[in-house]
Amino acid sequence: MKQLRIITSVLILLTTKGFAQSLTLQEAEGRFLQHNYQLLAQRYQVNANEALVQQARLWNNPSFSTTLGFGTTDKVQPFNLGSGGQVEGSIDQLILLAGKRNKQVQLAQWNAATSAAAFTELMRTLRLQLRSNYYQLYFLQETEKVLQEQLSNLQKILDAYRLADEKGSVAHADVIRLQALQVGIANDYTDLRQQELAASLNLQQLLGSDQPVTPVVSGDVLSQYNLRRYTQQILTDTALANRPDLLMATNQLQMAKVNYRLQKALAVPDLHLGATYDRNGSYAPHFIGMTLGIDLPVWNRNQGNIRSADYEVKTQDVLLQQQQFTISAEVSSALQKIRFLEKGTGWPDIKGFNTEYDKLIAEVAQNFRKGNISLLQFIDYFNSYSDHVKHTNKFLTDRVLAYEELNYATGTELFNITQ
């Protein structure tokens, strides 16, 4: 039953990778920018808000009204438009005073700018998800290669032991122990594949692709990530200058200030300017005149909206300060995480260490076949090698993602620039 699980997992792996597309990080990000559905939707939202700026610049349409004579109560003459009939018409144009239209345009412009910043913020968040899943999948597949090779070698050894067991040249208990070792590694392999499938699905969704992705990473990934001379102050200043969510908070404050000025302007009545024509209903035939109208601010002077807008300015100002504090804290946390990983490893040459360990485990397998080491020693080496591979790739993943989180915290690509 356990062997069936192993064979099934290998078949799933081969089937999946047969249809997988190999992409470098730069290629993946290129597809992400073109095909991610969330980004496409946000782009349309930016365009929609830019259209509202144009709408805010437009004047109100004039209004026209007319009265058509229907005679008198004594003699009804519908649509009596002749020389003895009555026709009255007027046209009216609303003229906004106190700079209301300009303030409405400014409000729409700030709203469009906020929408553009929201697009950049979404792209920043999704890019972190993309790179996190990309490198997680890469290092999981690197671990998988080793586990798959271990399963293959262990299967050969187990087949040989079974033949020897049938001949009575080895203890049956040794075969059982090897099978237990095989089951343990097979379980690790199955868990690893589940993690791979989850990361691969996330990548497909981010790329808008219907095919799995195989990451292609050339060279040493870790060499692309180095703090160099970046200090916490430099990184914090960079974040405060580049974070789109801080720009959104700044724009929200400016919108609140413009809205406050708009609400005060709305307290000023607008002017209705128009013209009228009356054929026979005035003191003189064919009367024409100009009309003027204005609302009297007796009870409603927009007091409540002005007060509300004033408090909204104070609210957005506090939120802006909170966002600045949050950004500084996020940069500090990301930097401390990197420093902890850099100090705590004690592995200055992981690649070289891995090479030596690979040679060691190959010699262990060879010596075990020759009978130079015991079964218990072989199992101990085998398990420690599996643990070493998993822990090493987990560390490499954590280190890469720590730098990517610092990229995210600063709102820039200080490390691993792909474009």
Side-chain angles (χ1 to χ4, degrees):
M1 191 67 183
K2 298 298 182 182
Q3 290 180 335
L4 181 60
R5 281 179 54 191
I6 297 171
I7 295 173
T8 303
S9 299
V10 173
L11 288 175
I12 293 175
L13 170 67
L14 295 176
T15 303
T16 302
K17 291 196 173 182
F19 294 97
Q21 51 183 335
S22 300
L23 297 176
T24 64
L25 180 61
Q26 186 172 1
E27 292 171 339
E29 291 195 347
R31 296 196 181 190
F32 159 73
L33 293 175
Q34 293 179 1
H35 301 292
N36 183 270
Y37 291 110
Q38 289 179 269
L39 285 182
L40 291 174
Q42 188 61 37
R43 281 196 186 101
Y44 289 130
Q45 187 61 52
V46 172
N47 294 336
N49 287 318
E50 288 175 347
L52 293 179
V53 177
Q54 179 184 5
Q55 181 63 34
R57 291 194 174 99
L58 301 177
W59 282 60
N60 296 87
N61 291 324
S63 61
F64 173 78
S65 63
T66 184
T67 301
L68 303 178
F70 266 49
T72 67
T73 55
D74 297 330
K75 185 179 181 181
V76 178
Q77 294 178 297
F79 300 104
N80 181 15
L81 305 180
S83 59
Q86 165 65 358
V87 176
E88 178 185 349
S90 63
I91 187 168
D92 180 85
Q93 174 66 55
L94 177 65
I95 300 178
L96 300 180
L97 302 180
K100 295 186 185 72
R101 179 169 287 102
N102 288 336
K103 294 177 177 62
Q104 290 171 347
V105 171
Q106 292 174 24
L107 197 62
Q109 288 173 334
W110 282 114
N111 185 56
T114 302
S115 179
F119 172 79
T120 307
E121 170 65 10
L122 176 63
M123 184 166 60
R124 178 179 77 104
T125 301
L126 294 180
R127 176 175 274 124
L128 175 64
Q129 295 179 19
L130 172 68
R131 292 190 172 191
S132 296
N133 284 282
Y134 183 89
Y135 282 119
Q136 283 176 353
L137 181 59
Y138 170 72
F139 286 115
L140 285 171
Q141 289 179 349
E142 290 297 299
T143 303
E144 180 199 351
K145 293 176 184 177
V146 175
L147 292 183
Q148 197 173 2
E149 183 179 358
Q150 278 191 301
L151 285 173
S152 176
N153 292 333
L154 188 58
Q155 186 63 48
K156 294 177 182 177
I157 294 174
L158 187 57
D159 291 341
Y161 258 70
R162 282 178 178 145
L163 290 175
D165 181 37
E166 293 175 359
K167 298 177 182 179
S169 57
V170 297
H172 184 68
D174 291 345
V175 177
I176 299 301
R177 285 186 176 183
L178 285 174
Q179 287 178 333
L181 176 61
Q182 184 186 49
V183 169
I185 297 177
N187 285 332
D188 291 342
Y189 181 87
T190 301
D191 293 340
L192 186 72
R193 284 292 295 146
Q194 296 299 322
Q195 297 177 48
E196 278 188 53
L197 291 173
S200 179
L201 176 61
N202 291 336
L203 265 183
Q204 286 181 244
Q205 292 175 340
L206 288 167
L207 299 179
S209 173
D210 58 353
Q211 292 183 342
V213 173
T214 299
V216 178
V217 180
S218 58
D220 188 0
V221 177
L222 296 183
S223 65
Q224 304 174 41
Y225 299 93
N226 195 310
L227 279 178
R228 295 187 287 276
R229 296 183 179 180
Y230 291 119
T231 64
Q232 182 170 334
Q233 186 60 51
I234 292 175
L235 293 170
T236 301
D237 292 342
T238 301
L240 293 175
N242 293 280
R243 283 277 291 261
D245 52 345
L246 182 60
L247 179 59
M248 290 172 61
T250 302
N251 290 349
Q252 291 286 353
L253 176 59
Q254 295 302 321
M255 286 177 63
K257 290 180 178 180
V258 172
N259 183 57
Y260 174 69
R261 296 195 295 269
L262 175 61
Q263 295 305 319
K264 293 181 70 175
L266 289 174
V268 179
D270 296 321
L271 176 65
H272 290 269
L273 177 64
T276 184
Y277 166 79
D278 193 328
R279 175 184 288 177
N280 290 316
S282 184
Y283 70 93
H286 300 288
F287 169 82
I288 59 173
M290 182 177 72
T291 60
L292 293 173
I294 193 168
D295 294 330
L296 299 178
V298 178
W299 295 288
N300 182 1
R301 295 186 296 277
N302 209 36
Q303 302 97 315
N305 287 334
I306 292 173
R307 181 179 296 180
S308 176
D310 184 34
Y311 281 118
E312 182 64 21
V313 171
K314 296 175 181 178
T315 299
Q316 294 301 327
D317 185 45
V318 172
L319 292 177
L320 176 60
Q321 296 177 42
Q322 171 65 28
Q323 190 63 32
Q324 291 171 335
F325 173 79
T326 300
I327 289 174
S328 299
E330 288 179 353
V331 171
S332 177
S333 176
L335 183 59
Q336 292 302 320
K337 186 175 182 180
I338 290 176
R339 287 174 176 171
F340 173 77
L341 289 172
E342 297 287 7
K343 286 183 179 179
T345 63
W347 297 345
D349 185 10
I350 296 177
K351 188 174 181 179
F353 180 74
N354 286 342
T355 302
E356 293 180 4
Y357 211 110
D358 290 342
K359 292 181 180 178
L360 173 63
I361 199 64
E363 293 175 358
V364 167
Q366 184 177 4
N367 285 322
F368 177 67
R369 292 190 185 97
K370 294 179 179 179
N372 295 332
I373 62 174
S374 67
L375 177 61
L376 290 178
Q377 289 175 313
F378 172 74
I379 292 176
D380 179 63
Y381 277 117
F382 218 80
N383 283 329
S384 64
Y385 180 63
S386 299
D387 292 339
H388 162 72
V389 171
K390 289 185 290 185
H391 293 160
T392 298
N393 286 328
K394 176 66 166 57
F395 162 74
L396 296 178
T397 303
D398 290 343
R399 188 177 186 277
V400 168
L401 297 189
Y403 276 96
E404 289 297 343
E405 288 175 8
L406 187 56
N407 272 341
Y408 175 79
T410 57
T412 58
E413 291 189 56
L414 298 175
F415 315 100
N416 193 14
I417 301 175
T418 58
Q419 297 180 9

